[in-house]
Amino acid sequence: MSILDWLFIGILSTAILCIIFAIVFLISYFLTKKERFKLKQLRPKNKKRRRILKKKSRMLIKKGKKQIQLGLMFLLLGTVLAGGAAFSRYHQATNLGDRDSDGIVEGYYLLNKTSEQLASVQETPNVEKARKNLRELAAKLSGFGVRYADPRLTVEGQQLLNRYYSQMKEIGLNLNNQSVESLQEKTTYKNYLADIKKVQTIQKKVFTYFNVNEAALKQKK
């Protein structure tokens, strides 16, 4: 598990404990209050007995104040921690983890590299080198078939990422089945570029959904 997972578990567990303590102290407060009410009903004629009851009543008042203060303090702390745990889970559900971030960055550069390689194939004098480069790209693109979105993400985010990974795999498999000669044909070349454009459209949706800075990726290119 990641640090955020452990953080979420730790914060949530502490929040639950705080709320349990709050409930215990608040119940104790009402029991103390009930005990004080019973004492007030007593009307002993003996002065010594009355002093004892008054002293006990004052002690119960002091005890009750402490119990309500602790109860409210733990309740407030538990509420704040529960909010923190909810925010931590929300952050995980709407932000990419390292594995998916790496996949998106790699996919971005692979698609651009594939487009460039296809363009260079049109006039390449070295067919063997072009074939080798295309096979390497096809293998890397096909490798996206083993990727899957982090299950902690939102359902919509998972569906979007898994669709992106699936389309990347299809691009790779399709490229692997193409020869340099077939890709030099204008129709095949244009069709393949159209397929890449479709995946890049999905890629832009992924960037938008997860707030990926495409401009920063272009600068690193």
Side-chain angles (χ1 to χ4, degrees), residues 145-173:
V146 299
R147 288 184 178 273
Y148 58 90
D150 191 328
R152 292 169 298 187
L153 293 171
T154 61
V155 173
E156 185 181 358
Q158 289 182 55
Q159 290 175 342
L160 191 57
L161 267 180
N162 286 331
R163 184 185 173 198
Y164 174 63
Y165 293 153
S166 176
Q167 290 298 309
M168 290 288 285
K169 179 196 72 173
E170 292 301 322
I171 285 283
L173 293 175

Side-chain angles (χ1 to χ4, degrees), residues 131-221:
R131 183 179 289 112
K132 180 183 177 183
N133 290 338
L134 288 173
R135 290 291 178 267
E136 288 177 356
L137 286 171
K140 289 178 180 179
L141 289 165
S142 300
F144 276 77
V146 299
R147 288 184 178 273
Y148 58 90
D150 191 328
R152 292 169 298 187
L153 293 171
T154 61
V155 173
E156 185 181 358
Q158 289 182 55
Q159 290 175 342
L160 191 57
L161 267 180
N162 286 331
R163 184 185 173 198
Y164 174 63
Y165 293 153
S166 176
Q167 290 298 309
M168 290 288 285
K169 179 196 72 173
E170 292 301 322
I171 285 283
L173 293 175
N174 190 12
L175 181 61
N176 191 56
N177 292 328
Q178 300 293 336
S179 65
V180 174
E181 292 76 17
S182 67
L183 289 170
Q184 287 177 331
E185 295 176 6
K186 293 296 181 183
T187 302
T188 306
Y189 171 66
K190 287 180 179 179
N191 288 339
Y192 205 86
L193 282 184
D195 290 340
I196 291 177
K197 289 292 183 185
K198 288 179 184 177
V199 181
Q200 287 176 327
T201 299
I202 299 172
Q203 188 180 66
K204 284 188 179 294
K205 291 181 181 179
V206 171
F207 286 175
T208 301
Y209 188 86
F210 292 105
N211 297 314
V212 177
N213 189 349
E214 186 176 358
L217 293 176
K218 288 180 179 178
Q219 289 177 358
K220 293 179 182 179
K221 187 177 174 184

